[in-house]
Amino acid sequence: MDFNFTPDQLALKKMAQEFVAKEITPYALEMDKAGEIRAGLFQKLNDAGMLNLTVPEEYDGPGLDALTIALIYEELGKGCAGVATTTAANALASYPVLVAGTEEQKQKMFSVINDGKLAAFALTEPGAGSDAGAVATSATKDGDDYILNGTKCFITNGGIADIYVIFANARKSAGIRGLTAFLVDRGTPGFSSGKEEDKMGIRASNTCELILDNVRVPASRRIGREGEGFKIAMKTLDAARPFVGAVSVGLCQAAFDFAVKYSKEREQFGKPIASFQLVQAMLADMAMQIEAARLLVYKACWLKDQNVPYGRESAIAKCFAADTAMKVTTDAVQVLGGYGYSREYPAEKYMRDAKIMQIYEGTNQIQRLVIANNILY
C-alpha cells in the first residue's frame, strides 16, 4: 500500500471536512433531538456530491475508488453518524445494481441518485435478520411480472427513498436458493412505508418498515437471475462494509478529539486531568485503537480497488472498527465523567451512535463467522 494520498484524494477529503464543519457538526445535536435531518441539508449534500459517491463515471457519477469514498465517509462520520448512514444507504442500494444489474436498471438507479434522491436496500424482515434465508417476503411469477407480498423492517431511508432494492423469495420454502432482488419505485401500487423506528442512536437517519401488498413488478426489474439474490446481497455487503468501518473511524475520531480537548481544560486537584497518568493511558489506548481501525479500513478499500479478493478483510475492517467505535466512545464518556453523561455535550451521542455499527450490515458476530470461514475453509 502507498500511504501517500493523491492530490485529488486530499482535495476531496478537505472539501468533506469543510462541508461537515459548516453544515453538519453545528447541527448534529439538534438533528439527534429532532430525530430527522434538518431542512435543506439533503440539497446541500447533493450539491456537494455526497449522495452519489459510488456512481460510476459512465453514468454521470464521480467514478471514485473505494479508498477515496472511505475518506469522505470518515469525515461524515465525524460530523454525524446519522447523516453518514443516510448517505451511505445510497451506496448500499447501488451495489446490487452494480453487481448484477442490466443496463436499463443501472440507468434507472443512477439517474435517481444523481438527481439528489435517496435509495434504500431492503433485506431485513421481522423474522429474518442475520438469517437471510428466512426471508418470507414472496415473489410470485405472474406472466411477465412478479407479485411481491411481505414486510421489511429496520430499513434505512425506508420512509424517504425514491427507489428500493427489495429482496424476496421467488421459490417457496427454498431458503437462500429462492432469494431474488427487485428494483421497486416509491409510489408503486401496494407499496408503502410503515412504522418509523424511534432509535437509540443515529436518530437523524430515517429507519422504518416497508409493506408490500400485492406489489406488481415487471420481470425486467428483477436484478440478476431468479434465486441469485443471496449471492448479490453478500457481494453488496462485502463492498459496503468498509464504509461502515470508515464511518466508525470518523465517529471514534470525533469522540477522541472531544475527550482530548476536555481533558486539557478540565481541572481537578489543581491541574488539568490530562496530566493524570490514568487519563493519559485511556487516551493512548484510544489513539492506538483508532489508528489500527483506520488502517484496516484503508487496507480493505485498497484491496477492493486492486480488484483482488477482499471479503475477509472487509469483514475484519467492519468488525474491528465497529468494536473500536463502541470502546472509544464509551471511554470518551468516562473521560468527561458526569458531563459525558449529559446531553448538553456530544459524548453521549457518540456512544449511542456507535452501538449500531456493531449491528447493521451484518452483526459483528456474523463478521466473526465470515472471518472464521475464510480461515477454516
Side-chain angles (χ1 to χ4, degrees), residues 70 134 153 216 266 270 315 329 377:
C153 66
R216 182 173 290 274
R266 172 68 166 169
T329 57
Y377 304 107

Side-chain angles (χ1 to χ4, degrees), residues 2-29:
D2 182 354
F3 289 93
N4 294 308
F5 295 121
T6 66
D8 285 345
Q9 287 174 324
L10 292 174
L12 285 169
K13 181 179 173 68
K14 183 180 179 182
M15 178 275 293
Q17 285 176 333
E18 292 173 350
F19 180 88
V20 167
K22 180 181 178 182
E23 302 292 351
I24 297 178
T25 303
Y27 308 98
L29 292 179

Side-chain angles (χ1 to χ4, degrees), residues 12-306:
L12 285 169
K13 181 179 173 68
K14 183 180 179 182
M15 178 275 293
Q17 285 176 333
E18 292 173 350
F19 180 88
V20 167
K22 180 181 178 182
E23 302 292 351
I24 297 178
T25 303
Y27 308 98
L29 292 179
E30 173 189 316
M31 290 188 288
D32 178 74
K33 186 175 181 180
E36 61 184 5
I37 287 179
R38 69 189 183 95
L41 183 55
F42 283 129
Q43 184 60 52
K44 291 178 179 179
L45 286 164
N46 183 54
D47 292 343
M50 302 285 193
L51 295 182
N52 69 338
L53 294 174
T54 56
V55 177
E57 201 170 3
E58 58 265 36
Y59 297 99
D60 298 323
L64 300 177
D65 58 275
L67 183 54
T68 303
I69 295 170
L71 293 176
I72 295 170
Y73 280 136
E74 183 178 333
E75 297 304 322
L76 288 169
K78 289 179 187 176
C80 176
V83 175
T85 296
T86 300
T87 61
N90 270 14
L92 181 64
S94 73
Y95 277 120
V97 178
L98 281 168
V99 166
T102 63
E103 181 63 25
E104 179 186 355
Q105 290 166 356
K106 290 175 182 177
Q107 293 283 357
K108 173 66 177 175
M109 170 64 85
F110 299 138
S111 66
V112 170
I113 294 176
N114 285 336
D115 283 345
K117 297 171 183 175
L118 299 177
F121 175 92
L123 176 62
T124 304
E125 296 182 5
S130 296
D131 181 9
V135 164
T137 296
S138 62
T140 305
K141 197 79 163 62
D142 183 33
D144 291 332
D145 300 330
Y146 285 87
I147 309 298
L148 306 186
N149 281 286
T151 302
K152 298 291 181 179
C153 66
F154 303 137
I155 306 304
T156 300
N157 293 349
I160 55 177
D162 277 84
I163 193 165
Y164 300 77
V165 175
I166 305 287
F167 289 84
N169 204 314
R171 302 172 190 168
K172 191 174 181 181
S173 304
I176 60 173
R177 294 185 302 277
L179 202 62
T180 307
F182 298 89
L183 207 55
V184 181
D185 293 320
R186 169 172 289 281
T188 302
F191 181 47
S192 62
S193 54
K195 180 188 72 170
E196 183 175 349
E197 298 297 333
D198 186 11
K199 306 185 298 296
M200 176 172 76
I202 59 164
R203 291 178 54 78
S205 72
N206 174 273
T207 310
C208 73
E209 69 176 357
L210 301 176
I211 300 164
L212 299 104
D213 182 12
N214 290 321
V215 176
R216 182 173 290 274
V217 180
S220 62
R221 289 296 190 89
R222 187 189 69 217
I223 303 171
R225 296 190 299 274
E226 194 173 288
E228 202 175 15
F230 183 76
K231 181 172 74 174
I232 292 169
M234 294 306 102
K235 287 184 176 180
T236 292
L237 293 170
D238 276 349
R241 279 169 179 156
F243 301 148
V244 176
V247 173
S248 299
V249 170
L251 180 55
C252 287
Q253 191 66 55
F256 175 73
D257 291 345
F258 194 83
V260 169
K261 180 176 182 292
Y262 178 87
S263 73
K264 293 178 178 179
E265 297 171 350
R266 172 68 166 169
E267 292 192 358
Q268 288 289 275
F269 307 103
K271 53 186 176 181
I273 64 171
S275 66
F276 301 146
Q277 288 183 335
L278 288 176
V279 173
Q280 291 175 2
M282 289 178 67
L283 295 174
D285 284 342
M286 293 160 76
M288 288 189 290
Q289 292 156 2
I290 294 168
E291 191 66 9
R294 179 178 285 115
L295 292 175
L296 286 169
V297 169
Y298 288 179
K299 181 181 179 182
C301 292
W302 182 82
L303 288 171
K304 181 178 187 297
D305 291 334
Q306 306 311 304

